[in-house]
Amino acid sequence: MGVVTLIARVARVAVALAAALGLVAPAQAELRVVAATTDLAAIAAAVGGDLVTVETIVPAAVDPEAFEPRPGDLEKIRNAGLLVRVGLGYDYWLDKLVRQAGDKRLMRGGEAYVDASTGVPLLEVSGQSVINEGGHAHGVANPHYWLDPENAKIVSLGIADGLARVMPADRARIAGNRERFVADLDRALARWTAQLAPVAGVKLIAYHNSWPYFARRFRLDVIGFIEPKPGVAPSPAQLARLIAAGKKSTVRAIVHEPYEPEDASRFMAQKLDVPFVLLATSVGSVPEAKDYFRLFDHNVAILAKALGVPSQ
Ligand SMILES: [Zn+2]
């Protein structure tokens, strides 16, 4: 037996042994999708079904605006079969990680790269890219587009296209999963729209400017923000002006985001004698928002209740 044959035989025995011990992955391993946020992870999981495992970079219980990558995140990206990001500067920190990983497939234009904002009709487009002190950018456009369920249809299409590029043999199953997701979403959206219809046009004040997409979809009118700029706390004079504006336009509730300091929002709710309503900005940002559907189930129910809509 030649040396090469011997090495080959030893290698075969080693592989068989490793397989027997469960040390190697099965041949039909699922594709690893890495999503920047829990919202995109939830949509990717719906579209990928059992063809994928999905990992998230910004954990559910962390303020995405104050997020900084940890050492394990580079490892996640190195092992990604598909990368899905929010874009618009919201997850600007991802660019550095992808550069460090050095895999062209995961870079802008690469086959395993999905910018979920592609094709979404953007609001508050300003043409300037500014990363604010609080972390994420509101410069190019408002980045909170996943808070309109209609936009999730566009996001799911981008993810389905990305998955089909990297696993073309499964194109039909991916398309089927996406169609089911969209059908479920249509049914749920009809329910959410009906729940909030009685308060169409209601005026609200929010802490952070997270809601333009949500508000447009459900016909809510956010007349002002407690933060003068994203990531900046208000001065007493700014609060006083906003309270006066809130009284004048009969604001009915103060909408507050998880992880933001509550004092100013609670103070304003008290001054205007309206409810303080904590809404989920992302999947997992409050315990009830366990997936993409329950994010809206929760927000719609809690808002309708705070605004005095009789429960159906
Ligand atoms: Zn924001």
Side-chain angles (χ1 to χ4, degrees):
M1 187 164 24
V3 173
V4 174
T5 317
L6 179 65
I7 289 171
R9 185 172 286 185
V10 169
R12 269 200 305 278
V13 170
V15 168
L17 191 63
L21 294 172
L23 297 176
V24 288
Q28 286 295 316
E30 295 137 343
L31 185 88
R32 295 169 78 118
V33 176
V34 174
T37 63
T38 52
D39 310 285
L40 298 182
I43 298 169
V47 176
D50 52 15
L51 297 168
V52 302
T53 54
V54 182
E55 286 179 280
T56 306
I57 298 181
V58 183
V62 163
D63 179 358
E65 306 197 40
F67 178 74
E68 283 182 34
R70 300 144 304 164
D73 294 328
L74 180 58
E75 217 38 50
K76 279 186 192 168
I77 291 180
R78 284 206 170 109
N79 294 318
L82 189 77
L83 179 66
V84 186
R85 75 182 310 177
V86 176
L88 306 172
Y90 188 83
D91 44 15
Y92 63 93
W93 37 263
L94 204 52
D95 294 306
K96 191 177 166 198
L97 288 180
V98 168
R99 266 199 311 277
Q100 283 175 323
D103 184 343
K104 283 219 157 45
R105 294 177 319 119
L106 301 171
M107 294 178 187
R108 202 175 294 274
E111 62 165 3
Y113 176 91
V114 176
D115 181 333
S117 72
T118 304
V120 171
L122 298 173
L123 299 176
E124 299 170 7
V125 178
S126 78
Q128 50 172 313
S129 181
V130 195
I131 292 158
N132 62 65
E133 295 102 287
H136 67 253
H138 277 217
V140 186
N142 188 293
H144 299 274
Y145 58 82
W146 62 91
L147 289 168
D148 176 354
E150 282 291 341
N151 289 342
K153 295 183 188 176
I154 299 165
V155 170
S156 69
L157 184 61
I159 293 173
D161 286 348
L163 285 173
R165 280 197 302 274
V166 295
M167 43 199 328
D170 294 301
R171 182 179 290 273
R173 278 176 69 190
I174 294 161
N177 289 344
R178 193 224 161 213
E179 275 166 34
R180 220 169 10 257
F181 173 72
V182 169
D184 290 347
L185 205 52
D186 275 331
R187 270 192 300 278
L189 182 55
R191 192 174 72 237
W192 298 324
T193 305
Q195 272 177 284
L196 288 177
V199 291
V202 71
K203 294 191 165 48
L204 307 168
I205 286 174
Y207 186 83
H208 179 76
N209 185 6
S210 315
W211 309 104
Y213 301 91
F214 183 83
R216 189 185 57 158
R217 179 60 48 206
F218 297 109
R219 301 189 195 171
L220 312 168
D221 186 3
V222 182
I223 68 144
F225 309 101
I226 294 174
E227 281 180 332
K229 279 197 301 180
V232 178
S235 70
Q238 285 162 335
L239 274 184
R241 272 200 298 279
L242 196 55
I243 289 166
K247 279 185 178 150
K248 201 172 158 207
S249 51
T250 338
V251 159
R252 296 268 311 280
I254 304 301
V255 170
H256 192 79
E257 293 84 359
Y259 327 115
E260 302 284 11
E262 291 188 4
D263 295 13
S265 293
R266 288 200 179 275
F267 176 72
M268 181 153 297
Q270 193 195 340
K271 287 287 171 197
L272 294 176
D273 193 23
V274 296
F276 165 97
V277 187
L278 183 76
L279 297 186
T281 43
S282 277
V283 170
S285 65
V286 304
E288 294 85 353
K290 286 192 195 331
D291 60 29
Y292 190 73
F293 289 88
R294 286 197 248 180
L295 167 67
F296 291 94
D297 282 341
H298 175 71
N299 282 354
V300 167
I302 202 165
L303 193 57
K305 189 174 174 209
L307 295 171
V309 178
S311 53
Q312 292 153 344

